[in-house]
Amino acid sequence: MVVMPEVPLAMGENPDAEVLAEGIRSGDRRAMGRAITLIESRRPDHQYQALELLDMLLPDTGNAVRIGVSGAPGVGKSTFIEAVGVGLTAAGHRVAVLAVDPSSSRSGGSILGDKTRMNDLSRDPAAFIRPSPSGGTLGGVARRTREAMLVCEAAGFDVIIVETVGVGQSETAVADMVDTSLLLIAPGGGDELQGIKRGIVETADIVFVNKTDGDLASQAKAVAAEYAAALRLLRPATKSWVPRIQTCSALENTGIGNVWRTIEAHRRALRTSGALGRRREAQARHWMWNEISESLIASLREEPATAALIPELERDVSAGRTTPGAAAKRLLGAFRAVGDGGR
Amino acid sequence: MVVMPEVPLAMGENPDAEVLAEGIRSGDRRAMGRAITLIESRRPDHQYQALELLDMLLPDTGNAVRIGVSGAPGVGKSTFIEAVGVGLTAAGHRVAVLAVDPSSSRSGGSILGDKTRMNDLSRDPAAFIRPSPSGGTLGGVARRTREAMLVCEAAGFDVIIVETVGVGQSETAVADMVDTSLLLIAPGGGDELQGIKRGIVETADIVFVNKTDGDLASQAKAVAAEYAAALRLLRPATKSWVPRIQTCSALENTGIGNVWRTIEAHRRALRTSGALGRRREAQARHWMWNEISESLIASLREEPATAALIPELERDVSAGRTTPGAAAKRLLGAFRAVGDGGR
């Protein structure tokens, strides 16, 4: 089966983690789908199973090239990812496409990881596409995507692409789980390339100027050159890598082979300097602390005594009626009072 | 008295918060110094007094122009701040200079907010200079500086300058407590202006190219023009403001009057669009959540049961022996077990 539907877990069903792990290691897509559904579930028993499962799979992870792709709506992300993905599977790779989209909802679905926008790739037996986990905080969505990435790696996928729209801090969250961050931009009507927003350039290792086809081609190349100069000026990068800007047209399939070559060049540079290993270690530690913070804050929001206080305190703090420090102390006091009541 | 020494609090001494508040409102520097020492103290009774005090002062705060100044060591921050400060006091303003430097220690002192580097300003009766709170996390240092800023505002200082070296995330922390963020850079030996590092351009509303004097003047102007073009390209700012780059020489006192005029222009733009109020409200809420996270994580690090676990878990996570999620759960489990043991 090459289309990967969401596989719901029936109430009270607790798939044996060991069986699931074996299925995943053999590349069974149903097993992958069930595992990712477990990971995304908010049920405590599922969360426990997910932890168990990931613990078993951990030794089988880490062997993929992890790539982030950010870009504003309209720059052509789906077409780009499909073009790159199809080229990679043709070359013998197994490609997973995941997404971080905190705005997605269960009913609405996300425009990211949308199979209908990547028809060829979604029918490709060597590809696996999964939409963003739905809703919740960016931190929660990103963590579940990162765990889904581990499942894909254990299943033998050697290229993982994580897509994001780049709203808010999502491109930073994605940069924090991948080895190479790509930014996709496209010519707009004027000087400014569509898709550049404050901070998004911050994380990009490689910038691809898409839609350099037809009438906009020469304009796109000119602006790409300006951006290249700007990036080199403003981003004295790590010693191993200077951010690069390149042009392509996903639609006309030009410059797409170059995408992988450039990603490989980045990876070689990171490996050579030892930065790849260090980066992944730092990312893992950072995720641990993210998780700790998220869990603690989630507890605050869930615990009735403290949840009731939050909107009131935020209003008081915004209006300057109370200091942030006093508000924090009040909330934490209520939180600890709950803990001391015994459970 | 115009030199502001650190005023130590004797053991067991609990200054009456109301008396202190009155002293501050009347502009008494000793009172200001005692208040800030209270704020910086780690003693629980002092922390309680500090909260009480800030609560009393809150209605008297918010009336200053809050400016952040970031720049790498060597760009001339002290000379720049002094030149700007002296100009402002001459024009009738009262200027406080604070600093965020997590690397500072009680014995070593910080190079920031160092009065010996701002001789004229430190002797100016209309100025108040205080070194960075020492050590601890960036979050802790930044919070204490923000609270010191409130004390200065309650004391009638209408311009607050918060200085930072811009290492790590400190320029972001400072941007999160001020209205206008300045970045100071200076010509180095080659193409790259000294002082630009990854991410630091992210927060700057205005960039000043210092040391445009002598031989380096024309080179500095040329590079400044390139940076201006780059910033405009890469930072499609809020509708209210496009980041500006300007040249100056703090040493020769050229372009310094322009610094304040540009800050005022930024402020006008923010006020006109309503962004200033919104920014401050969002900052206040953000500080509340920062404080909550910091406190919770501090508890984790202090509680013996959990503190002992942390280095081990970080090692396991870095080495890929355990997932970040499992490590977080283990740590939080130990933390909650402590809470349930009753206090």
Side-chain angles (χ1 to χ4, degrees):
Chain A
M1 191 191 342
V2 301
V3 172
M4 196 61 255
E6 285 244 19
V7 182
L9 294 167
M11 278 296 288
E13 180 184 323
N14 276 323
D16 182 36
E18 185 58 71
V19 169
L20 212 44
E22 279 184 42
I24 290 163
R25 288 188 203 105
S26 68
D28 174 5
R29 287 157 175 282
R30 275 191 74 92
M32 288 174 72
R34 291 171 81 87
I36 296 176
T37 299
L38 257 186
I39 283 164
E40 295 179 3
S41 168
R42 284 173 169 72
R43 275 173 49 172
D45 56 337
H46 288 168
Q47 290 179 6
Y48 176 76
Q49 288 274 341
L51 267 186
E52 243 196 333
L53 176 67
L54 287 165
D55 202 57
M56 287 175 201
L57 293 177
L58 201 58
D60 307 297
T61 65
N63 298 318
V65 176
R66 302 170 176 176
I67 303 159
V69 178
S70 286
V75 298
K77 270 195 317 301
S78 299
T79 318
F80 178 84
I81 289 172
E82 175 158 70
V84 171
V86 159
L88 286 172
T89 56
H93 294 282
R94 294 182 68 215
V95 181
V97 182
L98 305 173
V100 169
D101 183 9
S103 68
S104 75
S105 64
R106 268 188 203 291
S107 49
S110 170
I111 58 166
L112 301 188
D114 184 351
K115 302 178 191 62
T116 66
R117 289 168 160 257
M118 290 187 271
N119 273 328
D120 293 342
L121 198 62
S122 65
R123 284 192 288 264
D124 190 328
F128 174 91
I129 302 177
R130 176 88 178 192
S132 171
S134 56
T137 60
L138 169 63
V141 168
R143 172 183 62 77
R144 295 192 284 276
T145 301
R146 189 178 180 275
E147 291 174 349
M149 180 172 76
L150 299 179
V151 169
C152 296
E153 290 188 339
F157 285 82
D158 66 315
V159 179
I160 319 283
I161 296 174
V162 182
E163 185 183 8
T164 181
V165 177
V167 171
Q169 297 299 310
S170 51
E171 72 276 1
T172 308
V174 169
D176 215 20
M177 70 176 88
V178 300
D179 308 321
T180 303
S181 291
L182 308 191
L183 170 66
L184 195 66
I185 59 183
D191 269 345
E192 257 169 54
L193 284 181
Q194 180 190 12
I196 294 288
K197 81 161 175 71
R198 185 166 181 143
I200 210 175
V201 179
E202 169 54 9
T203 50
D205 298 306
I206 312 166
V207 179
F208 285 97
V209 183
N210 195 22
K211 302 190 181 180
T212 41
D213 41 67
D215 296 333
L216 295 171
S218 52
Q219 175 192 359
K221 282 183 207 257
V223 183
E226 286 183 57
Y227 272 90
L231 266 194
R232 277 192 292 270
L233 207 57
L234 292 174
R235 285 268 308 272
T238 65
K239 294 186 176 48
S240 2
W241 183 260
V242 176
R244 296 189 194 178
I245 293 216
Q246 309 194 322
T247 58
C248 64
S249 165
L251 208 62
E252 295 184 353
N253 212 32
T254 52
I256 295 301
N258 197 34
V259 174
W260 184 244
R261 280 191 294 274
T262 316
I263 291 169
E264 285 193 304
H266 179 243
R267 197 174 186 74
R268 261 196 315 274
L270 288 190
R271 276 194 191 284
T272 306
S273 67
L276 184 60
R278 284 194 300 271
R279 181 171 174 158
R280 286 199 175 185
E281 285 171 17
Q283 285 176 341
R285 284 193 303 273
H286 196 200
W287 278 101
M288 179 180 95
W289 286 106
N290 275 359
E291 191 55 31
I292 290 165
S293 287
E294 282 273 326
S295 280
L296 289 169
I297 304 273
S299 298
L300 279 171
R301 292 192 187 276
E302 281 158 14
E303 193 59 60
T306 49
L309 268 180
I310 290 173
E312 174 194 333
L313 289 174
E314 283 194 323
R315 272 193 305 270
D316 285 346
V317 151
S318 297
R321 284 189 290 271
T322 185
T323 58
K329 271 221 155 34
R330 205 174 140 198
L331 195 62
L332 290 169
F335 188 53
R336 290 192 177 110
V338 173
D340 284 342
R343 275 188 257 260
Chain B
M1 190 191 340
V2 300
V3 171
M4 197 62 255
E6 284 242 21
V7 183
L9 294 168
M11 279 295 291
E13 179 184 326
N14 278 322
D16 182 36
E18 187 58 71
V19 170
L20 211 45
E22 279 185 42
I24 290 163
R25 290 188 203 103
S26 69
D28 174 7
R29 287 159 175 281
R30 275 191 75 93
M32 290 174 72
R34 291 171 82 87
I36 296 176
T37 299
L38 257 185
I39 283 163
E40 294 178 3
S41 169
R42 284 174 168 70
R43 277 173 47 174
D45 55 339
H46 288 168
Q47 288 176 8
Y48 176 76
Q49 287 274 342
L51 268 185
E52 244 197 330
L53 176 67
L54 288 165
D55 201 57
M56 287 176 200
L57 294 175
L58 201 58
D60 307 297
T61 64
N63 298 319
V65 176
R66 301 171 176 174
I67 304 159
V69 177
S70 286
V75 299
K77 274 197 313 300
S78 299
T79 318
F80 177 84
I81 290 172
E82 176 158 69
V84 171
V86 159
L88 286 172
T89 56
H93 294 282
R94 294 182 68 217
V95 181
V97 181
L98 305 172
V100 169
D101 183 10
S103 69
S104 76
S105 65
R106 268 191 200 292
S107 50
S110 170
I111 59 167
L112 300 188
D114 182 351
K115 303 176 189 63
T116 67
R117 289 168 159 257
M118 291 185 271
N119 273 329
D120 293 342
L121 197 62
S122 65
R123 282 193 288 266
D124 190 327
F128 174 91
I129 302 176
R130 177 88 178 193
S132 171
S134 57
T137 60
L138 169 63
V141 168
R143 173 184 61 78
R144 294 192 284 275
T145 300
R146 189 178 180 275
E147 291 176 348
M149 181 172 76
L150 299 178
V151 169
C152 296
E153 290 188 339
F157 285 82
D158 66 313
V159 178
I160 319 282
I161 296 175
V162 182
E163 184 183 9
T164 182
V165 176
V167 172
Q169 298 300 311
S170 50
E171 72 276 1
T172 308
V174 168
D176 214 19
M177 70 176 90
V178 300
D179 307 321
T180 304
S181 290
L182 308 190
L183 170 65
L184 195 67
I185 58 183
D191 271 345
E192 257 169 56
L193 284 182
Q194 181 189 14
I196 295 289
K197 80 159 177 70
R198 186 166 179 143
I200 211 174
V201 180
E202 169 54 11
T203 49
D205 298 305
I206 313 165
V207 180
F208 284 98
V209 183
N210 195 21
K211 302 190 182 180
T212 42
D213 42 66
D215 295 334
L216 297 171
S218 52
Q219 175 192 1
K221 282 185 207 259
V223 183
E226 287 183 57
Y227 272 91
L231 267 195
R232 276 192 292 272
L233 208 59
L234 293 173
R235 285 267 306 274
T238 64
K239 294 185 175 55
S240 1
W241 182 258
V242 177
R244 296 189 194 177
I245 293 215
Q246 310 195 321
T247 58
C248 63
S249 166
L251 208 63
E252 294 185 354
N253 212 30
T254 51
I256 296 299
N258 197 33
V259 174
W260 184 245
R261 279 191 295 275
T262 317
I263 291 170
E264 285 194 305
H266 179 243
R267 198 174 185 73
R268 261 194 315 274
L270 288 190
R271 276 195 192 284
T272 305
S273 67
L276 184 60
R278 284 194 301 271
R279 180 171 175 157
R280 285 200 176 185
E281 284 170 19
Q283 285 176 339
R285 283 194 304 272
H286 196 200
W287 277 102
M288 179 180 94
W289 286 106
N290 275 356
E291 192 54 32
I292 291 166
S293 288
E294 282 273 325
S295 279
L296 290 169
I297 305 272
S299 297
L300 279 171
R301 293 193 186 277
E302 283 157 13
E303 192 59 60
T306 49
L309 268 180
I310 289 173
E312 174 195 333
L313 289 174
E314 284 194 322
R315 273 193 305 269
D316 285 346
V317 151
S318 296
R321 283 190 289 272
T322 185
T323 58
K329 270 221 154 34
R330 203 173 141 199
L331 195 63
L332 290 169
F335 186 53
R336 291 191 177 109
V338 173
D340 285 343
R343 277 188 257 258

